[in-house]
PDB file of all heavy atoms in Angstrom:
ATOM      1  N   PHE A   1       7.290   0.941   7.697  1.00 96.00           N
ATOM      2  CA  PHE A   1       7.708   0.640   6.331  1.00 96.00           C
ATOM      3  C   PHE A   1       7.348  -0.814   6.020  1.00 96.00           C
ATOM      4  O   PHE A   1       7.890  -1.751   6.653  1.00 96.00           O
ATOM      5  CB  PHE A   1       9.239   0.839   6.136  1.00 96.00           C
ATOM      6  CG  PHE A   1       9.724   0.486   4.789  1.00 96.00           C
ATOM      7  CD1 PHE A   1       9.298   1.191   3.665  1.00 96.00           C
ATOM      8  CD2 PHE A   1      10.633  -0.547   4.587  1.00 96.00           C
ATOM      9  CE1 PHE A   1       9.742   0.919   2.411  1.00 96.00           C
ATOM     10  CE2 PHE A   1      11.107  -0.857   3.344  1.00 96.00           C
ATOM     11  CZ  PHE A   1      10.668  -0.112   2.258  1.00 96.00           C
ATOM     12  N   LEU A   2       6.449  -1.044   5.031  1.00 96.00           N
ATOM     13  CA  LEU A   2       5.952  -2.297   4.738  1.00 96.00           C
ATOM     14  C   LEU A   2       6.735  -3.022   3.652  1.00 96.00           C
ATOM     15  O   LEU A   2       6.481  -4.253   3.395  1.00 96.00           O
ATOM     16  CB  LEU A   2       4.482  -2.257   4.364  1.00 96.00           C
ATOM     17  CG  LEU A   2       3.528  -1.578   5.371  1.00 96.00           C
ATOM     18  CD1 LEU A   2       2.084  -1.736   4.945  1.00 96.00           C
ATOM     19  CD2 LEU A   2       3.758  -2.092   6.749  1.00 96.00           C
ATOM     20  N   GLY A   3       7.594  -2.327   2.906  1.00 94.00           N
ATOM     21  CA  GLY A   3       8.428  -2.990   1.942  1.00 94.00           C
ATOM     22  C   GLY A   3       7.823  -3.116   0.550  1.00 94.00           C
ATOM     23  O   GLY A   3       6.897  -2.399   0.223  1.00 94.00           O
ATOM     24  N   ALA A   4       8.388  -4.052  -0.198  1.00 93.00           N
ATOM     25  CA  ALA A   4       7.994  -4.236  -1.640  1.00 93.00           C
ATOM     26  C   ALA A   4       6.708  -5.013  -1.765  1.00 93.00           C
ATOM     27  O   ALA A   4       6.362  -5.849  -0.957  1.00 93.00           O
ATOM     28  CB  ALA A   4       9.116  -4.906  -2.378  1.00 93.00           C
ATOM     29  N   SER A   5       6.016  -4.690  -2.872  1.00 93.00           N
ATOM     30  CA  SER A   5       4.863  -5.451  -3.386  1.00 93.00           C
ATOM     31  C   SER A   5       3.895  -5.881  -2.275  1.00 93.00           C
ATOM     32  O   SER A   5       3.803  -7.105  -1.949  1.00 93.00           O
ATOM     33  CB  SER A   5       5.317  -6.659  -4.179  1.00 93.00           C
ATOM     34  OG  SER A   5       4.265  -7.284  -4.853  1.00 93.00           O
ATOM     35  N   VAL A   6       3.154  -4.945  -1.713  1.00 93.00           N
ATOM     36  CA  VAL A   6       2.187  -5.284  -0.705  1.00 93.00           C
ATOM     37  C   VAL A   6       0.768  -5.348  -1.340  1.00 93.00           C
ATOM     38  O   VAL A   6       0.336  -4.393  -1.937  1.00 93.00           O
ATOM     39  CB  VAL A   6       2.169  -4.197   0.426  1.00 93.00           C
ATOM     40  CG1 VAL A   6       1.111  -4.533   1.488  1.00 93.00           C
ATOM     41  CG2 VAL A   6       3.551  -4.072   1.031  1.00 93.00           C
ATOM     42  N   PRO A   7       0.130  -6.514  -1.279  1.00 92.00           N
ATOM     43  CA  PRO A   7      -1.219  -6.632  -1.836  1.00 92.00           C
ATOM     44  C   PRO A   7      -2.188  -5.604  -1.225  1.00 92.00           C
ATOM     45  O   PRO A   7      -2.120  -5.307  -0.027  1.00 92.00           O
ATOM     46  CB  PRO A   7      -1.652  -8.075  -1.502  1.00 92.00           C
ATOM     47  CG  PRO A   7      -0.351  -8.771  -1.287  1.00 92.00           C
ATOM     48  CD  PRO A   7       0.592  -7.748  -0.682  1.00 92.00           C
ATOM     49  N   ALA A   8      -3.084  -5.088  -2.057  1.00 91.00           N
ATOM     50  CA  ALA A   8      -3.996  -4.022  -1.636  1.00 91.00           C
ATOM     51  C   ALA A   8      -4.826  -4.463  -0.392  1.00 91.00           C
ATOM     52  O   ALA A   8      -4.947  -3.706   0.560  1.00 91.00           O
ATOM     53  CB  ALA A   8      -4.927  -3.620  -2.769  1.00 91.00           C
ATOM     54  N   ALA A   9      -5.365  -5.686  -0.404  1.00 91.00           N
ATOM     55  CA  ALA A   9      -6.162  -6.120   0.690  1.00 91.00           C
ATOM     56  C   ALA A   9      -5.414  -6.151   1.978  1.00 91.00           C
ATOM     57  O   ALA A   9      -5.912  -5.815   3.059  1.00 91.00           O
ATOM     58  CB  ALA A   9      -6.755  -7.511   0.394  1.00 91.00           C
ATOM     59  N   HIS A  10      -4.135  -6.600   1.941  1.00 93.00           N
ATOM     60  CA  HIS A  10      -3.317  -6.653   3.107  1.00 93.00           C
ATOM     61  C   HIS A  10      -2.972  -5.233   3.628  1.00 93.00           C
ATOM     62  O   HIS A  10      -2.954  -5.028   4.847  1.00 93.00           O
ATOM     63  CB  HIS A  10      -2.017  -7.435   2.839  1.00 93.00           C
ATOM     64  CG  HIS A  10      -2.220  -8.884   2.527  1.00 93.00           C
ATOM     65  ND1 HIS A  10      -1.774  -9.920   3.292  1.00 93.00           N
ATOM     66  CD2 HIS A  10      -2.968  -9.487   1.538  1.00 93.00           C
ATOM     67  CE1 HIS A  10      -2.152 -11.074   2.786  1.00 93.00           C
ATOM     68  NE2 HIS A  10      -2.859 -10.859   1.762  1.00 93.00           N
ATOM     69  N   LEU A  11      -2.725  -4.351   2.705  1.00 93.00           N
ATOM     70  CA  LEU A  11      -2.458  -2.970   3.095  1.00 93.00           C
ATOM     71  C   LEU A  11      -3.644  -2.321   3.799  1.00 93.00           C
ATOM     72  O   LEU A  11      -3.522  -1.726   4.838  1.00 93.00           O
ATOM     73  CB  LEU A  11      -2.014  -2.123   1.874  1.00 93.00           C
ATOM     74  CG  LEU A  11      -1.841  -0.613   2.166  1.00 93.00           C
ATOM     75  CD1 LEU A  11      -0.718  -0.381   3.198  1.00 93.00           C
ATOM     76  CD2 LEU A  11      -1.527   0.121   0.842  1.00 93.00           C
ATOM     77  N   VAL A  12      -4.831  -2.512   3.189  1.00 91.00           N
ATOM     78  CA  VAL A  12      -6.032  -1.952   3.782  1.00 91.00           C
ATOM     79  C   VAL A  12      -6.314  -2.519   5.142  1.00 91.00           C
ATOM     80  O   VAL A  12      -6.665  -1.814   6.110  1.00 91.00           O
ATOM     81  CB  VAL A  12      -7.238  -2.124   2.855  1.00 91.00           C
ATOM     82  CG1 VAL A  12      -8.535  -1.752   3.578  1.00 91.00           C
ATOM     83  CG2 VAL A  12      -7.041  -1.309   1.566  1.00 91.00           C
ATOM     84  N   SER A  13      -6.118  -3.833   5.303  1.00 91.00           N
ATOM     85  CA  SER A  13      -6.272  -4.489   6.589  1.00 91.00           C
ATOM     86  C   SER A  13      -5.323  -3.884   7.615  1.00 91.00           C
ATOM     87  O   SER A  13      -5.696  -3.614   8.788  1.00 91.00           O
ATOM     88  CB  SER A  13      -6.021  -5.977   6.457  1.00 91.00           C
ATOM     89  OG  SER A  13      -6.081  -6.621   7.730  1.00 91.00           O
ATOM     90  N   TYR A  14      -4.097  -3.594   7.207  1.00 92.00           N
ATOM     91  CA  TYR A  14      -3.115  -2.984   8.102  1.00 92.00           C
ATOM     92  C   TYR A  14      -3.562  -1.568   8.502  1.00 92.00           C
ATOM     93  O   TYR A  14      -3.449  -1.142   9.664  1.00 92.00           O
ATOM     94  CB  TYR A  14      -1.760  -2.940   7.447  1.00 92.00           C
ATOM     95  CG  TYR A  14      -0.652  -2.518   8.338  1.00 92.00           C
ATOM     96  CD1 TYR A  14       0.092  -3.445   9.060  1.00 92.00           C
ATOM     97  CD2 TYR A  14      -0.276  -1.174   8.450  1.00 92.00           C
ATOM     98  CE1 TYR A  14       1.110  -3.099   9.912  1.00 92.00           C
ATOM     99  CE2 TYR A  14       0.758  -0.774   9.307  1.00 92.00           C
ATOM    100  CZ  TYR A  14       1.470  -1.732  10.014  1.00 92.00           C
ATOM    101  OH  TYR A  14       2.460  -1.348  10.864  1.00 92.00           O
ATOM    102  N   LEU A  15      -4.060  -0.815   7.535  1.00 91.00           N
ATOM    103  CA  LEU A  15      -4.529   0.571   7.826  1.00 91.00           C
ATOM    104  C   LEU A  15      -5.682   0.599   8.788  1.00 91.00           C
ATOM    105  O   LEU A  15      -5.817   1.478   9.619  1.00 91.00           O
ATOM    106  CB  LEU A  15      -4.914   1.270   6.513  1.00 91.00           C
ATOM    107  CG  LEU A  15      -3.729   1.539   5.546  1.00 91.00           C
ATOM    108  CD1 LEU A  15      -4.265   2.106   4.247  1.00 91.00           C
ATOM    109  CD2 LEU A  15      -2.708   2.452   6.147  1.00 91.00           C
ATOM    110  N   HIS A  16      -6.560  -0.427   8.678  1.00 85.00           N
ATOM    111  CA  HIS A  16      -7.696  -0.464   9.582  1.00 85.00           C
ATOM    112  C   HIS A  16      -7.263  -0.761  11.035  1.00 85.00           C
ATOM    113  O   HIS A  16      -7.885  -0.315  11.981  1.00 85.00           O
ATOM    114  CB  HIS A  16      -8.707  -1.585   9.146  1.00 85.00           C
ATOM    115  CG  HIS A  16      -9.600  -1.098   8.024  1.00 85.00           C
ATOM    116  ND1 HIS A  16     -10.462  -0.009   8.115  1.00 85.00           N
ATOM    117  CD2 HIS A  16      -9.822  -1.612   6.771  1.00 85.00           C
ATOM    118  CE1 HIS A  16     -11.137   0.119   7.012  1.00 85.00           C
ATOM    119  NE2 HIS A  16     -10.783  -0.805   6.184  1.00 85.00           N
ATOM    120  N   ARG A  17      -6.166  -1.457  11.164  1.00 85.00           N
ATOM    121  CA  ARG A  17      -5.660  -1.779  12.514  1.00 85.00           C
ATOM    122  C   ARG A  17      -4.789  -0.676  13.077  1.00 85.00           C
ATOM    123  O   ARG A  17      -4.495  -0.612  14.262  1.00 85.00           O
ATOM    124  CB  ARG A  17      -4.830  -3.092  12.493  1.00 85.00           C
ATOM    125  CG  ARG A  17      -5.647  -4.339  12.162  1.00 85.00           C
ATOM    126  CD  ARG A  17      -4.848  -5.617  12.408  1.00 85.00           C
ATOM    127  NE  ARG A  17      -3.658  -5.678  11.565  1.00 85.00           N
ATOM    128  CZ  ARG A  17      -2.429  -5.454  11.992  1.00 85.00           C
ATOM    129  NH1 ARG A  17      -2.179  -5.167  13.211  1.00 85.00           N
ATOM    130  NH2 ARG A  17      -1.378  -5.578  11.171  1.00 85.00           N
ATOM    131  N   ASP A  18      -4.295   0.216  12.199  1.00 80.00           N
ATOM    132  CA  ASP A  18      -3.294   1.204  12.543  1.00 80.00           C
ATOM    133  C   ASP A  18      -3.892   2.603  12.407  1.00 80.00           C
ATOM    134  O   ASP A  18      -4.523   2.904  11.386  1.00 80.00           O
ATOM    135  CB  ASP A  18      -2.083   1.061  11.632  1.00 80.00           C
ATOM    136  CG  ASP A  18      -0.855   1.672  12.203  1.00 80.00           C
ATOM    137  OD1 ASP A  18      -0.336   1.082  13.194  1.00 80.00           O
ATOM    138  OD2 ASP A  18      -0.413   2.696  11.679  1.00 80.00           O
ATOM    139  N   ASP A  19      -3.708   3.431  13.423  1.00 84.00           N
ATOM    140  CA  ASP A  19      -4.214   4.801  13.364  1.00 84.00           C
ATOM    141  C   ASP A  19      -3.257   5.667  12.591  1.00 84.00           C
ATOM    142  O   ASP A  19      -2.449   6.412  13.203  1.00 84.00           O
ATOM    143  CB  ASP A  19      -4.449   5.326  14.786  1.00 84.00           C
ATOM    144  CG  ASP A  19      -5.111   6.677  14.793  1.00 84.00           C
ATOM    145  OD1 ASP A  19      -5.752   7.007  13.798  1.00 84.00           O
ATOM    146  OD2 ASP A  19      -4.985   7.353  15.852  1.00 84.00           O
ATOM    147  N   ALA A  20      -3.247   5.554  11.308  1.00 91.00           N
ATOM    148  CA  ALA A  20      -2.245   6.237  10.473  1.00 91.00           C
ATOM    149  C   ALA A  20      -2.666   7.663  10.135  1.00 91.00           C
ATOM    150  O   ALA A  20      -3.829   7.944   9.836  1.00 91.00           O
ATOM    151  CB  ALA A  20      -2.056   5.430   9.188  1.00 91.00           C
ATOM    152  N   HIS A  21      -1.705   8.524  10.198  1.00 93.00           N
ATOM    153  CA  HIS A  21      -1.891   9.936   9.734  1.00 93.00           C
ATOM    154  C   HIS A  21      -2.040   9.987   8.213  1.00 93.00           C
ATOM    155  O   HIS A  21      -2.791  10.768   7.670  1.00 93.00           O
ATOM    156  CB  HIS A  21      -0.698  10.808  10.208  1.00 93.00           C
ATOM    157  CG  HIS A  21      -0.737  12.206   9.750  1.00 93.00           C
ATOM    158  ND1 HIS A  21      -1.529  13.139  10.399  1.00 93.00           N
ATOM    159  CD2 HIS A  21      -0.133  12.845   8.743  1.00 93.00           C
ATOM    160  CE1 HIS A  21      -1.387  14.337   9.820  1.00 93.00           C
ATOM    161  NE2 HIS A  21      -0.565  14.154   8.785  1.00 93.00           N
ATOM    162  N   ALA A  22      -1.266   9.109   7.531  1.00 95.00           N
ATOM    163  CA  ALA A  22      -1.313   9.066   6.058  1.00 95.00           C
ATOM    164  C   ALA A  22      -0.624   7.791   5.621  1.00 95.00           C
ATOM    165  O   ALA A  22       0.113   7.142   6.316  1.00 95.00           O
ATOM    166  CB  ALA A  22      -0.591  10.297   5.444  1.00 95.00           C
ATOM    167  N   VAL A  23      -0.820   7.487   4.347  1.00 96.00           N
ATOM    168  CA  VAL A  23      -0.137   6.327   3.704  1.00 96.00           C
ATOM    169  C   VAL A  23       0.603   6.866   2.449  1.00 96.00           C
ATOM    170  O   VAL A  23       0.060   7.660   1.690  1.00 96.00           O
ATOM    171  CB  VAL A  23      -1.089   5.168   3.347  1.00 96.00           C
ATOM    172  CG1 VAL A  23      -2.203   5.692   2.422  1.00 96.00           C
ATOM    173  CG2 VAL A  23      -0.317   4.051   2.708  1.00 96.00           C
ATOM    174  N   ALA A  24       1.849   6.503   2.338  1.00 97.00           N
ATOM    175  CA  ALA A  24       2.653   6.910   1.183  1.00 97.00           C
ATOM    176  C   ALA A  24       2.948   5.681   0.340  1.00 97.00           C
ATOM    177  O   ALA A  24       3.486   4.719   0.826  1.00 97.00           O
ATOM    178  CB  ALA A  24       3.948   7.534   1.658  1.00 97.00           C
ATOM    179  N   LEU A  25       2.602   5.738  -0.916  1.00 96.00           N
ATOM    180  CA  LEU A  25       2.724   4.623  -1.831  1.00 96.00           C
ATOM    181  C   LEU A  25       3.722   4.892  -2.951  1.00 96.00           C
ATOM    182  O   LEU A  25       3.717   6.021  -3.529  1.00 96.00           O
ATOM    183  CB  LEU A  25       1.405   4.328  -2.438  1.00 96.00           C
ATOM    184  CG  LEU A  25       0.236   3.977  -1.466  1.00 96.00           C
ATOM    185  CD1 LEU A  25      -1.101   3.821  -2.208  1.00 96.00           C
ATOM    186  CD2 LEU A  25       0.576   2.699  -0.643  1.00 96.00           C
ATOM    187  N   ALA A  26       4.569   3.955  -3.261  1.00 95.00           N
ATOM    188  CA  ALA A  26       5.631   4.121  -4.274  1.00 95.00           C
ATOM    189  C   ALA A  26       5.333   3.233  -5.489  1.00 95.00           C
ATOM    190  O   ALA A  26       4.915   2.110  -5.410  1.00 95.00           O
ATOM    191  CB  ALA A  26       6.939   3.776  -3.685  1.00 95.00           C
ATOM    192  N   CYS A  27       5.638   3.811  -6.683  1.00 94.00           N
ATOM    193  CA  CYS A  27       5.488   3.063  -7.925  1.00 94.00           C
ATOM    194  C   CYS A  27       6.577   3.558  -8.837  1.00 94.00           C
ATOM    195  O   CYS A  27       6.664   4.749  -9.185  1.00 94.00           O
ATOM    196  CB  CYS A  27       4.104   3.292  -8.507  1.00 94.00           C
ATOM    197  SG  CYS A  27       3.814   2.441 -10.078  1.00 94.00           S
ATOM    198  N   ALA A  28       7.425   2.660  -9.336  1.00 92.00           N
ATOM    199  CA  ALA A  28       8.537   3.044 -10.222  1.00 92.00           C
ATOM    200  C   ALA A  28       8.220   2.890 -11.717  1.00 92.00           C
ATOM    201  O   ALA A  28       8.865   3.517 -12.546  1.00 92.00           O
ATOM    202  CB  ALA A  28       9.784   2.163  -9.862  1.00 92.00           C
ATOM    203  N   LEU A  29       7.222   2.055 -12.044  1.00 93.00           N
ATOM    204  CA  LEU A  29       6.982   1.699 -13.425  1.00 93.00           C
ATOM    205  C   LEU A  29       5.592   2.153 -13.832  1.00 93.00           C
ATOM    206  O   LEU A  29       4.576   1.643 -13.275  1.00 93.00           O
ATOM    207  CB  LEU A  29       7.147   0.172 -13.693  1.00 93.00           C
ATOM    208  CG  LEU A  29       8.539  -0.369 -13.440  1.00 93.00           C
ATOM    209  CD1 LEU A  29       8.527  -1.904 -13.569  1.00 93.00           C
ATOM    210  CD2 LEU A  29       9.542   0.230 -14.365  1.00 93.00           C
ATOM    211  N   PRO A  30       5.446   3.000 -14.841  1.00 95.00           N
ATOM    212  CA  PRO A  30       4.115   3.453 -15.245  1.00 95.00           C
ATOM    213  C   PRO A  30       3.177   2.342 -15.709  1.00 95.00           C
ATOM    214  O   PRO A  30       1.983   2.490 -15.611  1.00 95.00           O
ATOM    215  CB  PRO A  30       4.435   4.394 -16.472  1.00 95.00           C
ATOM    216  CG  PRO A  30       5.861   4.845 -16.225  1.00 95.00           C
ATOM    217  CD  PRO A  30       6.514   3.682 -15.574  1.00 95.00           C
ATOM    218  N   MET A  31       3.714   1.179 -16.144  1.00 95.00           N
ATOM    219  CA  MET A  31       2.798   0.144 -16.560  1.00 95.00           C
ATOM    220  C   MET A  31       1.991  -0.407 -15.397  1.00 95.00           C
ATOM    221  O   MET A  31       0.970  -1.108 -15.583  1.00 95.00           O
ATOM    222  CB  MET A  31       3.581  -1.017 -17.206  1.00 95.00           C
ATOM    223  CG  MET A  31       4.428  -1.869 -16.295  1.00 95.00           C
ATOM    224  SD  MET A  31       5.198  -3.222 -17.174  1.00 95.00           S
ATOM    225  CE  MET A  31       6.002  -4.037 -15.830  1.00 95.00           C
ATOM    226  N   ARG A  32       2.356  -0.048 -14.135  1.00 94.00           N
ATOM    227  CA  ARG A  32       1.644  -0.490 -12.940  1.00 94.00           C
ATOM    228  C   ARG A  32       0.507   0.485 -12.574  1.00 94.00           C
ATOM    229  O   ARG A  32      -0.195   0.251 -11.584  1.00 94.00           O
ATOM    230  CB  ARG A  32       2.603  -0.638 -11.772  1.00 94.00           C
ATOM    231  CG  ARG A  32       3.795  -1.545 -12.022  1.00 94.00           C
ATOM    232  CD  ARG A  32       3.361  -2.955 -12.211  1.00 94.00           C
ATOM    233  NE  ARG A  32       2.557  -3.496 -11.150  1.00 94.00           N
ATOM    234  CZ  ARG A  32       1.971  -4.702 -11.169  1.00 94.00           C
ATOM    235  NH1 ARG A  32       2.094  -5.489 -12.192  1.00 94.00           N
ATOM    236  NH2 ARG A  32       1.238  -5.100 -10.150  1.00 94.00           N
ATOM    237  N   LEU A  33       0.317   1.532 -13.329  1.00 95.00           N
ATOM    238  CA  LEU A  33      -0.662   2.567 -12.959  1.00 95.00           C
ATOM    239  C   LEU A  33      -2.111   2.086 -12.762  1.00 95.00           C
ATOM    240  O   LEU A  33      -2.752   2.474 -11.805  1.00 95.00           O
ATOM    241  CB  LEU A  33      -0.651   3.698 -13.957  1.00 95.00           C
ATOM    242  CG  LEU A  33       0.565   4.688 -13.825  1.00 95.00           C
ATOM    243  CD1 LEU A  33       0.527   5.722 -14.957  1.00 95.00           C
ATOM    244  CD2 LEU A  33       0.493   5.425 -12.453  1.00 95.00           C
ATOM    245  N   PRO A  34      -2.594   1.177 -13.601  1.00 95.00           N
ATOM    246  CA  PRO A  34      -3.980   0.693 -13.358  1.00 95.00           C
ATOM    247  C   PRO A  34      -4.051  -0.064 -11.994  1.00 95.00           C
ATOM    248  O   PRO A  34      -5.030   0.106 -11.259  1.00 95.00           O
ATOM    249  CB  PRO A  34      -4.222  -0.291 -14.511  1.00 95.00           C
ATOM    250  CG  PRO A  34      -3.379   0.260 -15.628  1.00 95.00           C
ATOM    251  CD  PRO A  34      -2.127   0.727 -14.930  1.00 95.00           C
ATOM    252  N   HIS A  35      -3.023  -0.836 -11.683  1.00 93.00           N
ATOM    253  CA  HIS A  35      -2.984  -1.517 -10.384  1.00 93.00           C
ATOM    254  C   HIS A  35      -2.830  -0.481  -9.251  1.00 93.00           C
ATOM    255  O   HIS A  35      -3.415  -0.596  -8.181  1.00 93.00           O
ATOM    256  CB  HIS A  35      -1.808  -2.520 -10.341  1.00 93.00           C
ATOM    257  CG  HIS A  35      -1.899  -3.546 -11.400  1.00 93.00           C
ATOM    258  ND1 HIS A  35      -2.684  -4.677 -11.300  1.00 93.00           N
ATOM    259  CD2 HIS A  35      -1.260  -3.611 -12.588  1.00 93.00           C
ATOM    260  CE1 HIS A  35      -2.539  -5.414 -12.380  1.00 93.00           C
ATOM    261  NE2 HIS A  35      -1.690  -4.765 -13.190  1.00 93.00           N
ATOM    262  N   ALA A  36      -2.024   0.526  -9.493  1.00 93.00           N
ATOM    263  CA  ALA A  36      -1.819   1.604  -8.490  1.00 93.00           C
ATOM    264  C   ALA A  36      -3.155   2.271  -8.193  1.00 93.00           C
ATOM    265  O   ALA A  36      -3.474   2.560  -7.055  1.00 93.00           O
ATOM    266  CB  ALA A  36      -0.801   2.581  -8.984  1.00 93.00           C
TER     267      ALA A  36
END
């Protein structure tokens, strides 16, 4: 669990280091959809 507001580049860097089965992303506000 990486917590709140993780920058995309940092998340991708983490995924490259981690053999993940999947990534689950949360978004509560529709105004964030372009960023999502």
